[in-house]
Amino acid sequence: QVELVESGGGSVQAGGSLRLSCEITGRTIRNYVMAWFRQTPGRERQRVANLYGSSGSRHYADSVRGRFTISVDSAEKTVYLQMDSLKPEDTGVYYCAARRLSTPADAYSFWGHGTQVTVSA
């Protein structure tokens, strides 16, 4: 079974940067759509970015476009989320998720356990 492991969370001041990592076990992302979600108390879960392993196409939520970058390493086993110009409203638990290319949009079957990102004003 696919397992996702996130790392890289932490606490930063507004304007700072963090890079999150998500390793997929036992395979590459070629046949998957990879995504980063975040969850903050009082807000609904938000998909902040995704990447299509087949084509490399990337999409971003309006709230992070221009500040966050999703990418994959040369081995196609680790997905990154580079977060720049962080704002307090970016605070939350960030989850890596994956779905097979053949599944409907938002049908993410595989999830990491999350990594906390805290941005102080």
Side-chain angles (χ1 to χ4, degrees), residues 57-113:
S57 296
R58 299 128 200 259
H59 299 91
Y60 299 93
D62 290 343
S63 59
V64 307
R65 187 176 295 110
R67 299 187 297 117
F68 290 13
T69 303
I70 188 170
S71 62
V72 61
D73 70 355
S74 60
E76 298 184 313
K77 289 185 61 67
T78 304
V79 176
Y80 301 98
L81 186 68
Q82 178 67 43
M83 304 185 294
D84 297 319
S85 301
L86 283 162
K87 303 175 180 180
E89 53 263 42
D90 294 320
T91 293
V93 179
Y94 283 70
Y95 296 89
C96 182
R99 66 175 177 89
R100 294 184 176 90
L101 292 171
S102 60
T103 60
D106 298 324
Y108 288 89
S109 299
F110 309 103
W111 294 82
H113 289 91

Side-chain angles (χ1 to χ4, degrees), residues 4 18 21 25 34 37 39 57 61 73 79 82 98-99 102 105 116:
L4 306 175
L18 286 171
S21 298
T25 59
M34 307 298 299
F37 290 80
Q39 180 69 64
S57 296
D73 70 355
V79 176
Q82 178 67 43
R99 66 175 177 89
S102 60
Q116 176 71 43

Side-chain angles (χ1 to χ4, degrees), residues 33-52:
V33 182
M34 307 298 299
W36 288 96
F37 290 80
R38 68 186 176 196
Q39 180 69 64
T40 300
R43 301 178 183 177
E44 63 182 5
R45 186 179 63 197
Q46 179 184 31
R47 185 176 66 225
V48 301
N50 65 14
L51 181 153
Y52 283 74

